[in-house]
Amino acid sequence: MTASNCLRSWVESANGHPDFPLENLPLGVFSRDDQAPQGGVAVGDFVLSLRSAACAGLFQGEAALAAQAASGASLNDFFALGAGPRRALRQALQVLLGEHSQQREAMQALGETLLVPISACRLHLPARVGDYTDFYVGIHHANNVGKLFRPDNPLLPNYKHVPIGYHGRASTICVSGTPVRRPCGQTLAPGSDMPQFGPSKRLDYELELGIWIGQGNEMGEPIAIERAAQHVAGFCLLNDWSARDVQAWEYQPLGPFLSKNFASSVSPWVVSAEALQPFAMAQPPRPAGDPQPLPYLFDARDQAGGAFDIELEVLLLTAAMREQGLPAQRIALSNTRHMYWTVAQMVAHHSVGGCKLQPGDLFGSGTLSGPQPDQFGSLLESTFGGKQPIELHSGEQRTFLEDGDEVIMRARCRKEGQPSIGFGECRGVLLPAKY
Ligand code: CA
């Protein structure tokens, strides 16, 4: 693309930045040294302190309201304000940080009080997560996993009618960079009829889109699909770590429990719907013969532009690779276009029975695999249930994760004529079990 299509910033590193140009401006929570966590905005190689900017009187009206709400140690209050103030803050920041900003000198005079190098920041969970729900809208994942259990009938009859999900655990959602300990649990060895207890031997990741809920609803008052997108504050990456052997033994009849509740990692930046707008797309048409969604799940505008074209990548960095100075190896490159249900359909379905959603609730999309093996978003799929190890450029093999392995997820949007934007990373290293 040509540079003339981009917004130019006086923060030089923002210009052409692969993740955080002026078109992105994701919010997060950061701290420096021993200071308290506070809200900030990623721009190039810096984090802009919203508190410092607000104190300097840089914002007016709704933008000032939003900056104030996003100044503290979590973004819940900012999420609760909804789309109007969020857009106002974004527009104000694009002007303030733009190359023709009239505030440029005043802002530069604030130095690192205003713009902190990202490399000097610790990034935190962006919000207090009240409730976490994990969906299952990646149809290729559902097919692939279903095939392992039911080769002739991989998708259960409800899949194309209901956005399948379950209520997960909020307390162990952690920010990228947090080490994750291999869980212990009950497993049933093949051919055995008595379970054993010990460290999971089939530890896996799941490549998912995370969805931060903004304005909520009252109990008993469903969110109509036409308004559902307005209730989304933004998006992140989510690694839904999964202990497959624990899951296989425990999941019937109520679904996953300890196999999923020990950790879910999220990327620290909240990418807004406004930043993603150039990469919005029509929901891919359903194959011939598939049912139409029920009316409460169908909105023509959502079908026309409620899906996203976001590249999702998962990489593996083993302890041996780190020791040999080898780079992380890409295991899969997928895309959010493989979602059978849109985000608005998830929100509408979640609330249609009267469930109350609150600012800072988090949804996972479910594993987003593509149709090809190099697009599979979990090792369960990439190794065909652990039967075909993947070869690594270190000479190692993997069926499932080993202690010391680091899982790295990235997301990026690219389109002809548009500057690319990225989500930043969601990474976590696996620690040995305590046993
Ligand atoms: Ca999942």
Side-chain angles (χ1 to χ4, degrees):
M1 64 162 297
T2 57
S4 60
N5 296 340
C6 301
L7 299 174
R8 301 279 308 171
S9 175
W10 56 264
V11 179
E12 272 303 326
S13 61
N15 299 320
H17 195 283
D19 282 349
F20 307 131
L22 220 45
E23 285 83 356
N24 193 351
L25 299 177
L27 267 67
V29 171
F30 75 100
S31 63
R32 181 175 195 180
D33 306 323
D34 53 356
Q35 293 168 1
Q38 56 169 306
V41 179
V43 53
D45 296 334
F46 295 89
V47 181
L48 178 137
S49 161
L50 285 167
R51 182 187 298 161
S52 298
C55 286
L58 293 171
F59 301 114
Q60 278 83 45
E62 277 197 309
L65 192 69
Q68 181 65 33
S71 291
S74 80
L75 299 179
N76 296 69
D77 291 348
F78 168 73
F79 288 174
L81 290 176
R86 183 179 74 227
R87 289 183 189 131
L89 179 62
R90 173 182 170 81
Q91 284 162 11
L93 285 167
Q94 287 184 335
V95 173
L96 288 166
L97 293 165
E99 62 179 342
H100 302 302
S101 171
Q102 295 179 357
Q103 303 294 331
R104 174 177 177 165
E105 282 174 21
M107 292 171 81
Q108 282 174 328
L110 292 168
E112 291 195 5
T113 313
L114 181 72
L115 287 168
V116 188
I118 262 185
S119 56
C121 292
R122 180 173 166 209
L123 298 168
H124 301 264
L125 259 190
R128 293 182 313 273
V129 184
D131 279 298
Y132 163 52
T133 301
D134 198 23
F135 283 86
Y136 196 53
V137 308
I139 189 164
H140 299 295
H141 173 74
N143 249 318
N144 291 337
V145 172
K147 258 186 233 165
L148 293 173
F149 297 100
R150 299 172 299 275
D152 302 330
N153 184 27
L155 284 186
L156 291 169
N158 56 7
Y159 190 84
K160 292 179 175 178
H161 299 275
V162 184
I164 301 290
Y166 71 98
H167 288 111
R169 187 74 187 168
S171 62
T172 27
I173 290 171
C174 54
V175 74
S176 173
T178 308
V180 169
R181 188 169 293 286
R182 179 185 298 273
C184 288
Q186 279 195 34
T187 56
L188 190 69
S192 173
D193 56 3
M194 282 296 287
Q196 55 193 21
F197 179 81
S200 167
K201 296 188 180 77
R202 288 163 68 93
L203 198 72
D204 201 354
Y205 53 77
E206 291 193 331
L207 175 62
E208 304 196 14
L209 180 72
I211 297 132
W212 289 103
I213 296 299
Q215 283 181 318
N217 58 309
E218 291 304 319
M219 182 175 165
E221 301 287 337
I223 298 169
I225 182 127
E226 295 81 8
R227 293 185 288 108
Q230 299 291 316
H231 290 259
V232 173
F235 301 84
C236 66
L237 275 162
L238 190 150
N239 179 357
D240 183 29
W241 303 85
S242 299
R244 300 300 183 193
D245 43 359
V246 177
Q247 184 178 0
W249 170 233
E250 74 176 1
Y251 88 102
Q252 288 174 318
L254 284 186
F257 190 29
L258 273 65
S259 57
K260 304 272 191 178
N261 72 4
F262 59 96
S264 310
S265 303
V266 294
S267 55
W269 297 109
V270 181
V271 178
S272 69
E274 291 73 47
L276 289 176
Q277 192 51 46
F279 312 98
M281 54 179 268
Q283 175 68 352
R286 292 185 164 202
D290 280 14
Q292 282 305 298
L294 285 168
Y296 82 94
L297 291 171
F298 186 87
D299 172 50
R301 221 173 69 178
D302 178 47
Q303 291 294 310
F308 295 106
D309 178 6
I310 308 169
E311 284 179 5
L312 306 169
E313 186 182 23
V314 57
L315 305 97
L316 190 61
L317 184 67
T318 69
M321 289 178 187
R322 275 194 301 275
E323 281 159 22
Q324 296 169 41
L326 295 172
Q329 179 167 339
R330 180 194 282 174
I331 307 297
L333 180 65
S334 186
N335 194 291
T336 50
R337 59 173 67 228
H338 302 302
M339 291 164 62
Y340 191 77
W341 300 95
T342 66
V343 171
Q345 286 174 319
M346 288 187 244
V347 171
H349 181 68
H350 202 307
S351 65
V352 76
C355 177
K356 178 182 172 79
L357 302 181
Q358 302 187 93
D361 284 358
L362 181 68
F363 289 2
S365 60
T367 310
L368 296 179
S369 297
Q372 305 300 325
D374 60 359
Q375 302 171 328
F376 291 170
S378 68
L379 286 173
L380 184 68
E381 296 165 83
S382 299
T383 66
F384 298 90
K387 293 189 188 72
Q388 290 181 29
I390 49 174
E391 306 287 337
L392 302 177
H393 56 217
S394 55
E396 300 169 281
Q397 289 188 333
R398 283 293 179 278
T399 47
F400 292 95
L401 296 171
E402 296 192 5
D403 294 345
D405 284 356
E406 185 168 26
V407 178
I408 304 164
M409 295 178 176
R410 296 180 185 143
R412 186 155 292 142
C413 305
R414 299 173 213 269
K415 189 178 178 184
E416 188 63 34
Q418 288 290 334
S420 81
I421 63 168
F423 279 46
E425 288 182 334
C426 177
R427 55 200 297 159
V429 69
L430 186 63
L431 302 178
K434 268 194 180 163
Y435 180 56

